[in-house]
């Protein structure tokens, strides 16, 4: 079974440029999460989707960050414009919320460097 | 607001040693707790999940315990191996939500 797929794995951009990250969750998982992980820290939730609906986006900086999950499968996270402080790893995870275990499966992440 | 702390931040042990990693949390009203492993440049891999009604979970050489009343969980690794070298993160699931609050992790190095 394929795991959570993320692309690109690495991205280097100059500040004020836009950037987008893509995530394909595990087949059948209706819940999708985007996390931000700074160096030496644990992941912090940015947004959680239940199917197409964003049910928790309280931590998403909405002035520059946006996300979408069309058709309740793949998701895209966008930053526009990027700032130096956005350099981090962006992790996508998915789960089947009806399983009763809430185990989240993580992708390998996208490492963003803003110059 | 839930806060999760992991001690120690880093640990270096010789191969074969048994070791304990600690995780503490401030709000005992939790739904569950997960231990994850993260290898450099990789995503997180779930190791063990303990529901709030459980006291411990075991998988191979790993044993995780949960004491909600004291706000603590431990991950016990038996007979450590160099392949166990990684960062170990605990994540606390809030009661009634699917939101996980992560600790900052313990960076483990097992020396051959």
């Amino acid at each position: 079974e394929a795991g959570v797929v993320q692309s690109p794995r690495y991205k280097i951009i100059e500040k004020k440029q836009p950037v987008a990250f893509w995530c394909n969750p595990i087949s059948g998982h209706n819940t999708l999460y985007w996390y931000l992980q700074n160096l030496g820290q644990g992941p912090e939730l940015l947004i959680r989707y239940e199917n197409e609906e964003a049910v928790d986006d309280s931590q998403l900086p909405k002035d520059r960050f946006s996300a979408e999950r069309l058709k309740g499968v793949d998701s895209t996270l966008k930053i526009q414009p990027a700032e130096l402080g956005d350099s981090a790893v962006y992790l996508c995870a998915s789960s089947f919320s009806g399983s009763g275990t809430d185990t989240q499966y993580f992708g390998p992440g996208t490492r963003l460097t803003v110059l | 607001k839930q806060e999760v702390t992991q001690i120690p931040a880093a640990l270096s042990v010789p191969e074969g040693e048994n070791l304990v990693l600690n995780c503490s949390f401030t709000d005992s009203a939790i739904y569950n707790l997960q231990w994850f492993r993260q290898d450099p440049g990789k995503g997180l891999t779930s190791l063990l999940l303990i529901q709030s009604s459980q006291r411990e979970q075991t998988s191979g050489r790993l044993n995780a315990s949960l004491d909600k009343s004291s706000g603590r969980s431990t991950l016990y690794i038996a007979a450590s191996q160099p392949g166990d070298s990684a960062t170990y993160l605990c994540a606390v699931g809030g009661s009634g939500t699917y939101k996980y609050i992560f600790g900052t992790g313990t960076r483990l190095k097992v020396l051959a």
Side-chain angles (χ1 to χ4, degrees):
Chain A
E1 178 185 280
V4 176
V5 179
Q6 290 187 249
S7 69
R9 291 293 316 278
Y10 305 92
K11 189 73 176 179
I12 301 174
I13 61 171
E14 294 189 347
K15 63 181 181 181
K16 301 185 181 179
Q17 294 299 307
V19 65
F21 315 125
W22 175 80
C23 174
N24 179 243
I26 292 174
S27 178
H29 283 190
N30 62 335
T31 305
L32 184 145
Y33 313 77
W34 281 104
Y35 287 90
L36 165 72
Q37 186 175 26
N38 287 305
L39 189 64
Q41 302 294 314
E44 298 174 27
L45 181 69
L46 289 172
I47 189 168
R48 175 170 69 92
Y49 282 94
E50 292 282 350
N51 300 305
E52 300 92 351
E53 184 181 0
V55 295
D56 185 352
D57 63 355
S58 57
Q59 299 293 101
L60 190 72
K62 298 181 183 64
D63 57 336
R64 297 184 299 108
F65 285 65
S66 64
E68 60 181 10
R69 190 183 184 198
L70 300 176
K71 301 181 181 178
V73 181
D74 295 359
S75 178
T76 302
L77 178 68
K78 297 178 182 177
I79 308 175
Q80 182 170 10
E83 297 178 352
L84 295 176
D86 296 331
S87 295
V89 175
Y90 292 82
L91 295 164
C92 179
S94 70
S95 68
F96 177 49
S97 61
S99 70
T101 64
D102 306 320
T103 297
Q104 296 183 23
Y105 297 85
F106 282 78
T110 296
R111 182 176 297 277
L112 174 67
T113 301
V114 182
L115 303 176
Chain B
K1 179 186 172 185
Q2 180 74 272
E3 292 182 6
V4 181
T5 304
Q6 290 187 247
I7 294 173
L11 183 62
S12 186
V13 301
E15 182 177 6
E17 212 169 271
N18 301 324
L19 56 99
V20 174
L21 307 181
N22 297 294
C23 172
S24 61
F25 46 94
T26 55
D27 185 351
S28 62
I30 68 170
Y31 183 65
N32 58 24
L33 184 146
Q34 278 198 66
W35 282 93
F36 291 87
R37 168 185 174 138
Q38 186 172 31
D39 293 284
K42 303 285 181 65
L44 281 68
T45 301
S46 180
L47 298 173
L48 290 165
L49 182 147
I50 311 177
Q51 299 293 350
S52 61
S53 58
Q54 298 174 322
R55 296 301 298 266
E56 66 178 337
Q57 284 285 345
T58 298
S59 176
R61 296 183 293 108
L62 305 179
N63 175 277
S65 67
L66 175 63
D67 184 344
K68 275 200 320 176
S69 60
S70 66
R72 299 168 102 171
S73 176
T74 61
L75 178 67
Y76 175 83
I77 303 177
S80 59
Q81 303 170 358
D84 295 330
S85 299
T87 296
Y88 291 81
L89 295 146
C90 76
V92 175
S95 182
T97 77
Y98 293 99
K99 191 169 192 170
Y100 279 94
I101 305 298
F102 282 81
T104 53
T106 293
R107 193 168 60 254
L108 172 66
K109 187 168 186 178
V110 180
L111 305 170

